[in-house]
Amino acid sequence: YEDGEVDFVYCRHTLEDMTNPEFLLREIKRVARAGWLEIPSPCAELTRGVDAWGDHLGYCHHRWVGVGVGSHLRLCAKYPVIERVTLRDYWRLLSHGPRYWNTYALFDGANPLVLDVLQNDRGFQLGKIDRRGEPVEYREVLVRMADAFLRTKE
């Protein structure tokens, strides 16, 4: 497609599954004049037992945790060490219905898509470990993402 050739892109529950969503996101940003990008909320991805396949955080096959605020989409790599991170239990919020299960970024000409993709050495350091064995900066990024999502629901 040519730059700006697509009127509207709808991408739902795809980005979190990709090994490298940055290429697709750059292409969406290049070809689409407007769009809707939806992924599971950080509350869903950071809650133990959401997936039927075990007692791990979020969905076992997802590679990214994300949050959409307006036209800004932030993704953070979901590393295996996430299982060591102590987080708030979001089950209570999730039990209130679909409102807390998904997050999205909606963009158009007046509100262009802003992307932020965080990985080790790009936004945080996995190697900074506290005495409980938790990756300190990674935990802070995840908590900030969940907090940003919850502010959109106020």
Side-chain angles (χ1 to χ4, degrees):
Y1 294 96
E2 297 295 322
D3 292 358
E5 184 178 352
V6 177
D7 290 332
F8 192 88
V9 168
Y10 179 77
C11 180
R12 183 172 190 262
H13 293 275
T14 303
L15 299 170
E16 68 276 7
D17 298 309
M18 300 179 75
T19 302
N20 181 4
E22 284 184 274
F23 176 75
L24 176 60
L25 288 166
R26 282 194 306 268
E27 280 299 291
I28 288 172
K29 189 172 181 176
R30 183 183 68 78
V31 304
R33 290 192 293 270
W36 174 279
L37 307 175
E38 184 175 329
I39 58 177
S41 77
C43 292
E45 286 295 348
L46 300 176
T47 296
R48 197 164 294 287
V50 166
D51 198 343
W53 300 105
D55 193 36
H56 45 77
L57 290 175
Y59 298 92
C60 65
H61 64 286
H62 289 175
R63 298 170 180 262
W64 298 89
V65 177
V67 63
V69 178
S71 63
H72 187 159
L73 181 67
R74 171 174 276 183
L75 295 176
C76 180
K78 190 174 174 187
Y79 295 110
V81 73
I82 198 170
E83 294 297 331
R84 293 177 139 192
V85 176
T86 304
L87 297 161
R88 176 179 167 193
D89 184 2
Y90 296 103
W91 262 122
R92 202 156 158 221
L93 287 174
L94 295 172
S95 68
H96 288 293
R99 176 182 176 153
Y100 293 99
W101 283 88
N102 299 302
T103 186
Y104 63 89
L106 179 62
F107 65 95
D108 58 26
N111 301 291
L113 181 60
V114 178
L115 303 172
D116 193 9
V117 180
L118 304 175
Q119 296 176 325
N120 186 35
D121 293 329
R122 282 178 49 197
F124 61 90
Q125 298 290 320
L126 276 177
K128 294 188 178 180
I129 307 292
D130 68 12
R131 33 178 212 266
R132 292 179 310 220
E134 287 190 25
V136 178
E137 289 186 10
Y138 188 44
R139 180 186 184 286
E140 289 172 6
V141 167
L142 297 171
V143 168
R144 282 195 306 267
M145 291 176 74
D147 289 347
F149 170 73
L150 292 173
R151 282 192 299 277
T152 69
K153 301 301 177 189
E154 293 175 346

